[in-house]
Amino acid sequence: MDRLRQCTALLLLCGCLSIWTFYRVAKDNDAVPLPLHAEETIAKCRNLHSVPSPPRGFSDRERSDRFVPGTRPTLLKNATLWTGRDAGLEIVHGDLLLDGGIIKAIGTVDAGSYGDELDVVDVEGAWVSPGIVDLHSHMGVESSPGLTGAIDGNSLRSSVQPWLRSLDGLNTHDESYRLAIAGGLTTALVLPGSANAIGGQAFTIKTRPTAEKSPSSMLLEPPFHLNGSEYDPPRWRQMKHACGENPARVYGGTRMDTVWDFRTAYNTARILKEKQDVYCEKALAGQWTGLGEFPDDLAWEALVDVLRGRVKVHNHCYEAVDIDGMVRLTNEFKFSIAAFHHAHESYLIPEALKNAYGITPASAIFAIIGRYKRESYRHSEYAPRILADAGIDVVMKTDHPLVNARYLLHEAQQAHYYGLPAHIALSSVITTPARIMGLAHRIGSLVKGHDADVVIWDSHPLALGAAPKQVYIDGIPQLEIPHLIPKPLSSQKVPLTPNFDTEAKEAVKYDGTQPLDPKATISGAVVFENVKSVYVQRAGKVVEAYFARNGLGNGVVHVENGKMLCYGSQYVCLETKAFAGATRIDLEGGSIAPGLVSVGTDIGLSDIQFIASTTDGVGFDLLSGQVPAIVGEETVIRAVDGLKFQSRDMLLAYRSGVTSAVVSPQVSLETHGFFSGLATAFSTGAKHKLERGAVIKDVSGLHVILSMAASHSVSTMVGTLRRLLSGQAHGDIGEQFESIVEGRLPLVIYAHNADIMASMIALKAETEERTGIIMKMTFVGATESHLIAAEIADAGVGVILGNSRPFPTDWQAQRILPGPPLTRDTTLGVLLKHNVSVAIGIDPLPRGPLQSFARNARFDAAWAALEMDGEMSSADTLALASVNVASLLGLDVELFDLVATKGGTLLEFESKVVGVISSRRGVTDIL
């Protein structure tokens, strides 16, 4: 009882002291009584200058906030662990213990206390890394398959909208999530689009499905609670900015207008920030008289937080003029930029990046994608290594769905191929993006206490075609039944990539427009020495004509006037002709192989894909009824009439072993066209149309596009083809379809959907039954062709896969066969098992920078073969992108250019293209 009286007295005393203190403060400051919510306001004021940091006690946590009850602990034994630490150089051989959604131990692990509760996985020395992290994705807001009801990347209401949030448009049914996991991607920063100067706030997600199935449950360290209240201490926020062509084009302005939009927006935020600072200074001093409510504005609070250093700004910015403008803006308003995204010219101005306020922004870039519009024209594949050498953080990203998030790792592989050191290349898609987004305390490294986001790889992550054996997110295995394909022993090591030092220096010297012409063009004798293998075309196939056996030494290849006169041992070739005076090239164990053939892009008809004034233009839609009379509805447009040579993408493809291409007249991207016209085949190394061998075949086939996204119905387009094939057309178009019906001209159909292809197979049978003549028909694209592989084979139709690594871009291509580790079979494998004549090309239907991908035909073929579990020889793999393409598109396969590679075959990351032996042009180009 006495203790109760003492406590009561103490409470009364404290109350009296509080009243006396308030009275004295109010008296001294002539203040009014404390307003309502004063305590909340004071807390807000005290928190204004708090720096984002991990939650209190985070480093000592025993369980992740994303832990799913029932998740069993897992021990990965005998792993080769790339930890991400020590700048990406640390490799630990040992074990990894996952429990409670976090990493519990690494190296030598004693897990005896777990007993039977532990899942033990012996990875048998496999490479294990942290999960892949994408710093630039539109996953969920630009959904796949693309449908009009789920396009939430850009709001077009205003150029400045910092109040928008990507979270509010995040579609949980996007097919991209499961596909991304199949590529080892565990975390993505989902950004608004780039139509606006300030597009809104971005949010970081984990890609695994959740029991709640809501966007909020996918978030990783969101800055706010569900009710909108802020965490204490605050967490990093993310925001998207964009400058350059996009906002200027969308809002009908100029770069000057966009920068003014930025300045006025930041000035608005600065004024609000200053009002808050003055208010809080008085509030914290107890000067409440006349203060009123805390000055706040829901529309601008996020931009105020940028000025307070609590937001990671991600800036879509390509050119030096735009990057420099943003650097000035950061210094004017005193805020930092986390990363410049795309940043195609950042490698040319690294010192300008270092002038940014606060920190030096990272460069988040593509490996090879460029030149698709003016501001990306100076892109260089050597940019990652140049930036790294200059001390700039390099991040490789996808801009998903432009690059399929599943293959973000391939961006790092390509950057490594062109000279980025291996440890930086791996860090660029794991550790560095995690740090840039402010989450390095929990993702991006294999460290005790970090999230249990882990990938077990089937080969070294930088090896071509590396795929996960298993993916753990928050300690939960994501691949229910992984389909594994054994990889060669050589793929367990970091690829020994070629030397591109000279090319990288020239890229800087010439501001990204370095000469791409051959070092020499020789019509006389050339001798390639130290040749390990020779592949040639014979009877429509690629065969291995020579292979240096162990102990016998490598061979030689003797060439004159673009023709291979001899190959084999030096003694054999010396009998044919003396080598005196010949140009000699050491291939260092390299190879000679047929040149590759590209199809699916507009290379040959445009220089800068999205700049109409640099292209041949778009032909008339024959179904529109708007063809001018002078053109005539019976006229068939010929691509050969619009051929353009020496574009940078064409020459880059040539320097990568793509010596010829097939292109058809271009159709409208808006209507998806129907009737393309007569395609042509040409040499990518030629200087102009009149040069010897420049045009391989004036007319190589009649190309049409059958798309469910077209402005005309599929049945209308098929019905039109039925009429044309029945002989009811006259003039030029009648003659061309007569050639098709008589089997003299291939009908090439761009289509993805199995039902559309089935309709064309039926139309082919109908026509052949009437005429008794076999038609030549080829599908290009053909994403769903595996569904009707037997029928395609029975019909004698060929297939050129537009994407050997398919993705459900839109509804007509949604039924994909994704391949390992999700499915054992691939579309290519299914077609080959049914004896379909098949090749690989580039998907012509999506709206994207397709020309950039032409140069990768060699790696696309090699990757496709790796997923065939050893069923394809090197010769058959080369044929996929060379003679098979030519045969299916109506070209003469007897006359093929040859490509010389140093350090390996055309299919290997270790090799570099150093020459082209062109029988068509009668020369040998030394590259």
Side-chain angles (χ1 to χ4, degrees):
M1 197 66 173
D2 290 340
R3 187 173 181 83
L4 178 60
R5 289 195 187 97
Q6 289 174 354
C7 291
T8 303
L10 183 59
L11 288 171
L12 288 171
L13 177 61
C14 290
C16 291
L17 286 172
S18 297
I19 294 170
W20 181 83
T21 301
F22 171 68
Y23 171 78
R24 291 299 303 169
V25 171
K27 189 173 190 294
D28 291 343
N29 295 287
D30 296 323
V32 296
L34 284 173
L36 294 174
H37 311 301
E39 186 176 345
E40 179 182 333
T41 300
I42 290 172
K44 178 181 288 188
C45 287
R46 286 175 175 162
N47 196 40
L48 280 185
H49 303 288
S50 297
V51 178
S53 63
R56 292 184 182 89
F58 187 87
S59 60
D60 299 323
R61 64 179 182 158
E62 292 295 321
R63 178 174 288 185
S64 171
D65 53 320
R66 292 180 51 83
F67 174 71
V68 176
T71 302
R72 288 175 59 86
T74 300
L75 179 65
L76 305 181
K77 292 184 63 66
N78 302 317
T80 305
L81 301 157
W82 185 87
T83 67
R85 302 201 307 175
D86 191 18
L89 293 169
E90 182 182 66
I91 297 172
V92 174
H93 299 277
D95 305 338
L96 190 67
L97 178 61
L98 315 177
D99 187 18
I102 64 175
I103 296 171
K104 288 287 189 177
I106 181 171
T108 302
V109 177
D110 180 7
S113 61
Y114 283 90
D116 294 337
E117 296 300 315
L118 183 68
D119 289 337
V120 179
V121 180
D122 188 345
V123 303
E124 300 177 333
W127 286 93
V128 174
S129 78
I132 304 296
V133 180
D134 194 352
L135 193 66
H136 188 131
S137 179
H138 302 293
M139 190 183 303
V141 294
E142 292 182 13
S143 298
S144 303
L147 296 168
T148 54
I151 302 175
D152 291 290
N154 288 295
S155 168
L156 304 183
R157 291 191 174 186
S158 171
S159 184
V160 173
Q161 301 185 85
W163 48 84
L164 298 182
R165 307 181 300 182
S166 65
L167 171 64
D168 297 324
L170 193 68
N171 175 16
T172 58
H173 302 293
D174 192 334
E175 282 293 299
S176 302
Y177 303 129
R178 74 180 184 97
L179 294 172
I181 291 170
L185 193 142
T186 58
T187 305
L189 178 61
V190 180
L191 296 159
S194 56
N196 308 309
I198 302 178
Q201 301 163 49
F203 287 78
T204 306
I205 64 168
K206 293 279 190 87
T207 52
R208 72 168 174 85
T210 64
E212 188 177 308
K213 300 183 179 180
S214 69
S216 295
S217 65
M218 299 178 71
L219 296 180
L220 178 62
E221 285 202 5
F224 300 107
H225 294 281
L226 283 175
N227 64 3
S229 61
E230 192 175 60
Y231 284 92
D232 182 20
R235 297 174 173 181
W236 281 109
R237 304 175 73 177
Q238 318 281 334
M239 185 177 289
K240 177 71 175 290
H241 287 9
C243 50
E245 291 184 20
N246 282 19
R249 181 187 71 251
V250 171
Y251 292 97
T254 64
R255 282 178 164 80
M256 295 182 290
D257 293 303
T258 302
V259 173
W260 177 247
D261 287 342
F262 275 121
R263 294 184 69 209
T264 53
Y266 271 101
N267 193 52
T268 299
R270 178 168 60 184
I271 291 171
L272 180 57
K273 174 183 177 293
E274 290 172 351
K275 288 179 179 179
Q276 292 177 352
D277 290 343
V278 170
Y279 180 97
C280 286
E281 184 179 351
K282 292 182 178 180
L284 292 174
Q287 299 172 7
W288 295 97
T289 303
L291 271 185
E293 294 294 324
F294 179 81
D296 208 354
D297 189 327
L298 189 60
W300 298 103
E301 58 82 22
L303 213 56
V304 170
D305 258 4
V306 173
L307 297 179
R308 296 195 183 282
R310 298 160 65 157
V311 181
K312 299 282 189 176
V313 174
H314 301 271
N315 198 163
H316 163 118
C317 216
Y318 283 56
E319 292 187 88
V321 59
D322 300 313
I323 293 172
D324 188 58
M326 293 305 298
V327 167
R328 291 197 305 273
L329 190 75
T330 67
N331 284 286
E332 179 180 0
F333 290 97
K334 304 294 186 292
F335 71 94
S336 295
I337 291 176
F340 283 115
H341 291 238
H342 300 308
H344 288 271
E345 292 188 13
S346 61
Y347 73 99
L348 297 174
I349 54 167
E351 296 307 311
L353 270 65
K354 296 175 184 178
N355 290 330
Y357 180 81
I359 62 171
T360 299
S363 279
I365 54 181
F366 294 125
I368 64 162
I369 299 175
R371 296 163 298 281
Y372 48 92
K373 54 182 179 177
R374 193 197 67 83
E375 62 183 358
S376 67
Y377 190 70
R378 297 178 187 274
H379 174 84
S380 174
E381 59 270 46
Y382 312 110
R385 62 170 290 175
I386 295 168
L387 286 162
D389 288 345
I392 305 297
D393 281 326
V394 175
V395 175
M396 308 309 297
K397 46 80 178 174
T398 65
D399 195 11
H400 178 92
L402 193 148
V403 172
N404 182 354
R406 181 179 178 183
Y407 302 117
L408 172 54
L409 184 61
H410 189 45
E411 293 294 300
Q413 292 168 356
Q414 293 172 92
H416 177 240
Y417 176 77
Y418 290 109
L420 187 65
H423 65 288
I424 302 177
L426 266 183
S427 297
S428 74
V429 292
I430 301 177
T431 310
T432 307
R435 173 166 50 81
I436 297 303
M437 66 174 67
L439 291 170
H441 58 280
R442 67 182 300 165
I443 62 172
S445 301
L446 298 181
V447 176
K448 182 180 178 181
H450 279 213
D451 287 12
D453 298 346
V454 177
V455 185
I456 306 170
W457 299 98
D458 64 2
S459 47
H460 189 282
L462 292 179
L464 182 67
K469 293 174 126 180
Q470 185 56 270
V471 179
Y472 295 86
I473 302 180
D474 301 320
I476 305 170
Q478 299 298 305
L479 303 176
E480 187 175 352
I481 306 177
H483 297 273
L484 308 179
I485 300 294
K487 296 292 177 64
L489 186 62
S490 59
S491 69
Q492 301 304 321
K493 299 179 180 179
V494 180
L496 299 174
T497 54
N499 187 310
F500 289 102
D501 290 350
T502 300
E503 291 87 341
K505 290 176 182 176
E506 288 187 344
V508 175
K509 177 182 177 180
Y510 291 95
D511 281 357
T513 59
Q514 67 272 25
L516 296 175
D517 292 326
K519 296 174 184 175
T521 297
I522 302 169
S523 57
V526 178
V527 175
F528 292 99
E529 301 176 309
N530 203 358
V531 180
K532 188 167 186 178
S533 60
V534 176
Y535 296 89
V536 298
Q537 182 281 137
R538 285 180 188 163
K541 294 184 177 181
V542 175
V543 298
E544 183 184 83
Y546 169 77
F547 188 84
R549 304 300 169 187
N550 291 335
L552 299 179
N554 291 331
V556 297
V557 172
H558 179 199
V559 174
E560 281 196 33
N561 301 319
K563 293 184 179 179
M564 187 164 58
L565 301 182
C566 179
Y567 56 83
S569 72
Q570 186 170 354
Y571 302 104
V572 171
C573 286
L574 276 173
E575 295 176 4
T576 62
K577 197 164 188 175
F579 292 170
T583 300
R584 306 173 86 95
I585 308 292
D586 185 354
L587 293 189
E588 300 177 8
S591 181
I592 305 290
L596 309 183
V597 184
S598 177
V599 64
T601 79
D602 58 355
I603 279 183
L605 293 179
S606 73
D607 290 341
I608 306 175
Q609 186 176 350
F610 296 157
I611 304 296
S613 61
T614 73
T615 73
D616 175 53
V618 174
F620 292 104
D621 182 357
L622 296 185
L623 291 181
S624 68
Q626 298 177 353
V627 180
I630 194 171
V631 175
E633 292 187 358
E634 296 176 350
T635 300
V636 182
I637 304 301
R638 288 166 162 76
V640 68
D641 295 331
L643 273 182
K644 298 166 57 64
F645 288 84
Q646 295 279 287
S647 75
R648 295 195 68 78
D649 277 311
M650 183 186 295
L651 293 176
L652 287 168
Y654 184 68
R655 297 174 73 90
S656 299
V658 179
T659 60
S660 59
V662 175
V663 67
S664 60
Q666 299 304 287
V667 300
S668 169
L669 287 174
E670 299 302 320
T671 65
H672 292 264
F674 160 56
F675 197 88
S676 175
L678 295 170
T680 188
F682 60 94
S683 292
T684 55
K687 289 182 170 54
H688 55 78
K689 183 192 294 186
L690 302 181
E691 183 178 285
R692 173 188 170 185
V695 178
I696 298 169
K697 193 169 186 178
D698 282 4
V699 174
S700 63
L702 192 145
H703 292 222
V704 298
I705 299 171
L706 298 181
S707 170
M708 293 167 64
S711 56
H712 312 289
S713 70
V714 172
S715 53
T716 297
M717 292 185 284
V718 174
T720 301
L721 289 174
R722 177 178 288 107
R723 177 179 178 274
L724 293 171
L725 289 169
S726 68
Q728 297 183 45
H730 305 285
D732 188 11
I733 196 169
E735 292 177 5
Q736 300 302 334
F737 271 89
E738 182 179 353
S739 294
I740 291 171
V741 170
E742 293 178 354
R744 292 182 283 114
L745 184 69
L747 178 60
V748 179
I749 300 160
Y750 294 85
H752 281 305
N753 181 258
D755 298 301
I756 293 176
M757 289 184 277
S759 292
M760 288 310 302
I761 289 172
L763 182 56
K764 180 177 186 289
E766 177 185 320
T767 303
E768 291 171 348
E769 184 178 1
R770 186 183 69 252
T771 64
I773 303 173
I774 301 298
M775 286 173 52
K776 296 178 181 178
M777 181 180 287
T778 297
F779 294 138
V780 178
T783 298
E784 296 186 351
S785 57
H786 60 282
L787 299 174
I788 53 170
E791 290 76 9
I792 291 173
D794 290 343
V797 175
V799 171
I800 300 177
L801 292 172
N803 194 339
S804 55
R805 302 184 298 278
F807 180 74
T809 304
D810 53 17
W811 193 259
Q812 63 188 335
Q814 63 165 319
R815 296 175 291 184
I816 68 170
L817 193 58
L822 293 178
T823 61
R824 183 165 188 83
D825 288 331
T826 64
T827 304
L828 173 64
V830 171
L831 292 172
L832 289 175
K833 286 176 183 176
H834 286 86
N835 296 315
V836 175
S837 297
V838 63
I840 61 172
I842 298 172
D843 187 353
L845 297 184
R847 305 180 189 184
L850 302 179
Q851 290 192 14
S852 299
F853 299 122
R855 68 192 299 181
N856 269 2
R858 55 188 291 215
F859 298 138
D860 290 341
W863 196 336
L866 281 170
E867 295 185 333
M868 291 292 293
D869 197 9
E871 295 178 10
M872 293 192 72
S873 66
S874 293
D876 290 340
T877 304
L878 288 165
L880 280 177
S882 58
V883 298
N884 291 12
V885 181
S887 177
L888 292 173
L889 295 178
L891 306 186
D892 181 4
V893 297
E894 297 302 319
L895 196 62
F896 245 87
D897 288 347
L898 296 170
V899 174
T901 52
K902 178 184 287 188
T905 72
L906 191 57
L907 302 172
E908 295 172 324
F909 256 161
E910 290 79 5
S911 72
K912 181 180 184 180
V913 175
V914 295
V916 174
I917 305 163
S918 180
S919 58
R920 297 176 182 129
R921 297 166 49 231
V923 297
T924 298
D925 282 335
I926 308 302
L927 303 177

